[in-house]
Amino acid sequence: MAGPPRQPSPLDSPTPGGRLQWDNVPLETPRSPSRSTRSLPPPQPGENAPPTSPRRRCAQGRPLFSDRYIPNRTGVDLQAAFLLFNQDPTLDPPNTRLNRQDTSELSANEVERRKEEEANRNFSSVLKAELFGDNVPMATADLSRPPGSQSGSSVDLQSSQRSANALAASRRETPQNSSETTLLGTPRRKTNLFTYQLPSKLRPASRDLQLELFLLSPVRQESQKFLLSPQKKPRTILKVPYRVLDAPELSDDFYLNLVDWGLQDMLAVGLGESVYLWDGLTQSVERLCTLEDKDKVTSLSWIGAGTHLAVGTHSGQVKIWDATKISCIRTMTGHTQRVSSLAWNEHILSSGSRDRKIYNRDVRDPSHFINCFESHKQEVCGLKWNVEENKLASGGNDNKLFIWDGLNSTPLHQFSEHNAAVKAISWSPHQRGILASGGGTADKTIKIWNTLTGTRINNVDTGSQVCNLVWSKNSNEIVSTHGFSRNQIIVWKYPNLQQIAQLTGHTYRVLYLSLSPDGETIVTGAGDETLRFWNVFEKNRNDRPLSSVLLEAFLQLR
């Protein structure tokens, strides 16, 4: 039986009366594709039949052509095919890898890219375990070499390979004929991935909703455990501040310290001649004081967990105010120029000044100071006490960083590797003796020091002037704020100093930084006369349960 005639094409020549011809055989113009052959009589023997389309042949021994393709694993070298097709998504080409030293830019979709990579790694791990079981492939052949030559190159499968090895190890440890197995998977055949068989035993009823997801799944029990295992949730940091406050007369001076967030959830800000307090509980603002004789506020620091605030002035005085009583309880002198930095160590208050001196004051003693450090050659703009270890770090405009052991007037260490003023100083709350410091415009680096041994253990070029540093209380991370020329805020992962997030918004140098009492929020201040609040750090990890791979990363696959 001849097949239906082909449909007319734009190249066919029309004949009079709306008829088309193929080899002088007149045919009616079809009205619709579905009815084009119904009214045609069957061709007679000896007549010229119109061309026909290929027919399906169902004869024995011949293939049946169809528009559906069903893959089959028969006769395929699975390891070779898998390794040639699948590449680990975490293995980027060398020219596209993130250089940890080149931290000038951070992609806006970094979090989304990491989620996708995590999902791909999980899928690759499960696929390898399901295809190869214990024999997970470890290396690929170097196809660029001639046959018979040896190749020492191998593919580093990183976290996905380690996960697959862990699955294979757990499979070897699982008894093959255990009567305690509560969930029976579907038996597998080696020849066809899409062949299924009913289990020999009925599955017992399970009350675990997560396990019930796999009752009809061919995935092995070890893979199910991997998919349901807890996994760390991908980190997400909002790129915009959740609150912005106006701060008129906030000085654009690199050497000053005008913002401090106390443990009583009170934020102190020095604006011109006055000090203002912002209550984190009620979001109310009140003025604590206004200096006399048109003096200027140059530094602020809260005492530990108390309600007393130390205020340094441009005239060289240090005043202590009781925030609950709104009264000045003491004024101390000694400096001849402005007081740029302040730091508390219980009842000891240290003050650094442009006169290059550091005075240590015991607020219980009636004298104005008990001793003096005079090693800096220019203005002292950075001071931080490590209360647990009783050590003081001081940085100055002479590019020097000194470590002082208590009130000993001889410095314990002197570091001279910075090439600009050292204002940014922060002690690690997680490891003894670890100190982070940042340099100014001519330096642009963050350096990590081990003050127990007196050595530098890390260094990273940030690309901008480093104005402030603060260490997270809840995680091993650091936040830095920057000035010329990008005015950015960067979150770093310690100890490799890899960027986690980069925040922008300030139009001037981000000269001021402080951490909230709960350790989740930072506040930044700049010469654009704004204070911006950012949710940067997470809560304590012990207080937040981990999510599942199945519910988080695995669902990222599309």
Side-chain angles (χ1 to χ4, degrees):
M1 178 182 292
R6 69 178 179 89
Q7 298 296 323
S9 70
L11 299 179
D12 295 326
S13 300
T15 59
R19 303 168 67 88
L20 300 177
Q21 283 187 333
W22 283 306
D23 299 331
N24 298 323
V25 177
L27 296 176
E28 294 290 342
T29 302
R31 298 180 180 178
S32 66
S34 61
R35 303 176 57 188
S36 60
T37 60
R38 292 182 181 179
S39 61
L40 297 179
Q44 299 298 327
E47 294 181 355
N48 292 329
T52 60
S53 59
R55 298 177 301 168
R56 296 185 182 182
R57 298 183 179 182
C58 303
Q60 295 183 355
R62 296 187 179 183
L64 176 64
F65 296 97
S66 172
D67 60 349
R68 299 184 61 190
Y69 171 71
I70 301 178
N72 195 298
R73 288 177 17 177
T74 304
V76 178
D77 186 348
L78 293 180
Q79 291 194 3
F82 183 85
L83 291 172
L84 288 175
F85 172 76
N86 186 46
Q87 295 294 334
D88 196 322
T90 62
L91 298 177
D92 297 330
N95 59 346
T96 61
R97 285 184 186 171
L98 176 63
N99 187 356
R100 293 175 182 173
Q101 299 300 325
D102 183 12
T103 56
S104 59
E105 296 292 340
L106 186 66
S107 175
N109 60 351
E110 182 69 15
V111 175
E112 289 74 11
R113 184 183 67 82
R114 292 176 183 174
K115 289 181 179 179
E116 182 179 357
E117 289 183 356
E118 182 68 19
N120 290 334
R121 285 196 296 268
N122 294 330
F123 178 78
S124 179
S125 300
V126 174
L127 182 59
K128 291 174 185 176
E130 289 297 315
L131 288 178
F132 307 112
D134 297 342
N135 300 319
V136 179
M138 296 296 295
T140 61
D142 189 352
L143 301 180
S144 62
R145 296 175 178 267
S149 62
Q150 298 294 330
S151 175
S153 63
S154 62
V155 176
D156 182 9
L157 297 179
Q158 294 184 351
S159 61
S160 62
Q161 183 61 64
R162 291 192 294 271
S163 301
N165 291 338
L167 287 174
S170 63
R171 184 186 181 191
R172 289 192 295 268
E173 295 175 0
T174 304
Q176 298 297 327
N177 298 320
S178 175
S179 59
E180 299 177 357
T181 303
T182 59
L183 183 62
L184 298 178
T186 304
R188 300 169 56 251
R189 291 183 180 180
K190 297 182 179 179
T191 58
N192 197 334
L193 180 64
F194 299 94
T195 300
Y196 303 95
Q197 178 180 343
L198 291 176
S200 58
K201 296 181 181 180
L202 295 177
R203 293 184 178 91
S206 174
R207 297 181 180 179
D208 193 336
L209 296 179
Q210 289 184 331
L211 292 179
E212 289 180 357
L213 296 175
F214 293 99
L215 286 179
L216 301 178
S217 173
V219 179
R220 298 184 307 158
Q221 188 174 5
E222 291 76 13
S223 298
Q224 297 175 23
K225 292 180 181 178
F226 170 73
L227 292 175
L228 295 174
S229 63
Q231 186 181 17
K232 181 182 176 181
K233 185 178 180 180
R235 179 73 174 277
T236 302
I237 297 178
L238 295 178
K239 299 301 180 67
V240 294
Y242 70 88
R243 178 179 288 113
V244 179
L245 301 179
D246 289 329
E249 297 186 67
L250 185 61
S251 179
D252 184 26
D253 192 326
F254 175 80
Y255 301 98
L256 305 186
N257 294 272
L258 298 177
V259 175
D260 191 31
W261 203 335
L263 295 180
Q264 299 296 325
D265 205 10
M266 297 289 291
L267 177 65
V269 184
L271 304 177
E273 305 171 3
S274 302
V275 177
Y276 290 86
L277 301 180
W278 178 82
D279 192 332
L281 181 61
T282 63
Q283 283 78 52
S284 61
V285 179
E286 64 176 342
R287 184 164 55 186
L288 176 65
C289 65
T290 299
L291 302 181
E292 300 175 350
D293 301 327
K294 296 183 179 180
D295 204 356
K296 300 289 185 180
V297 179
T298 55
S299 56
L300 296 170
S301 181
W302 287 99
I303 179 174
T307 59
H308 291 82
L309 179 69
V311 179
T313 69
H314 190 272
S315 63
Q317 295 181 341
V318 177
K319 299 178 179 291
I320 299 179
W321 282 79
D322 188 339
T324 58
K325 299 179 180 180
I326 316 297
S327 63
C328 180
I329 61 175
R330 188 169 182 184
T331 300
M332 295 175 284
T333 60
H335 290 296
T336 58
Q337 298 186 50
R338 68 181 185 184
V339 180
S340 307
S341 52
L342 294 167
W344 286 91
N345 181 10
E346 296 181 349
H347 53 274
I348 299 296
L349 174 63
S350 299
S351 59
S353 171
R354 181 181 277 182
D355 62 12
R356 302 172 293 179
K357 297 179 181 180
I358 300 174
Y359 283 118
N360 297 304
R361 314 167 188 271
D362 190 337
V363 296
R364 304 170 301 177
D365 194 300
S367 59
H368 292 274
F369 57 89
I370 55 178
N371 74 342
C372 178
F373 298 158
E374 300 184 72
S375 294
H376 283 284
K377 304 303 180 183
Q378 293 190 40
E379 181 173 10
V380 182
C381 52
L383 278 180
K384 284 294 186 301
W385 272 102
N386 186 336
V387 179
E388 289 75 14
E389 301 177 30
N390 195 34
K391 287 184 173 56
L392 174 68
S394 64
N397 197 32
D398 55 0
N399 308 344
K400 298 293 190 300
L401 175 65
F402 289 97
I403 308 299
W404 310 86
D405 187 8
L407 300 180
N408 190 340
S409 58
T410 302
L412 182 64
H413 298 294
Q414 175 181 336
F415 302 119
S416 305
E417 295 187 23
H418 282 292
N419 299 317
V422 183
K423 175 194 176 186
I425 300 173
S426 182
W427 290 93
S428 171
H430 311 292
Q431 187 175 354
R432 292 187 66 251
I434 300 300
L435 175 70
S437 63
T441 306
D443 186 82
K444 303 178 182 179
T445 66
I446 297 176
K447 302 182 188 297
I448 308 296
W449 311 91
N450 186 339
T451 60
L452 301 180
T453 61
T455 59
R456 177 176 59 82
I457 59 178
N458 210 336
N459 177 72
V460 61
D461 186 355
T462 67
S464 296
Q465 175 190 42
V466 184
C467 302
N468 288 280
L469 289 170
V470 66
W471 221 293
S472 170
K473 299 177 181 179
N474 303 332
S475 59
N476 212 3
E477 298 170 347
I478 311 173
V479 170
S480 61
T481 66
H482 300 268
F484 300 124
S485 58
R486 299 179 184 141
N487 307 325
Q488 77 271 39
I489 304 164
I490 302 179
V491 184
W492 308 85
K493 183 67 178 178
Y494 184 82
N496 56 7
L497 292 183
Q498 178 182 0
Q499 286 191 24
I500 299 177
Q502 184 173 148
L503 312 175
T504 56
H506 284 291
T507 57
Y508 281 66
R509 297 181 295 176
V510 189
L511 298 177
Y512 311 109
L513 170 68
S514 191
L515 182 67
S516 64
D518 60 8
E520 298 180 34
T521 304
I522 61 171
V523 59
T524 58
D528 56 12
E529 297 185 340
T530 63
L531 294 174
R532 298 172 186 259
F533 295 77
W534 315 78
N535 279 324
V536 172
F537 298 120
E538 298 177 332
K539 293 183 178 180
N540 195 316
R541 295 178 180 179
N542 296 330
D543 298 336
R544 177 173 295 179
L546 295 176
S547 58
S548 170
V549 177
L550 177 65
L551 301 178
E552 297 293 339
F554 195 71
L555 291 180
Q556 298 295 328
L557 295 174
R558 292 291 185 266

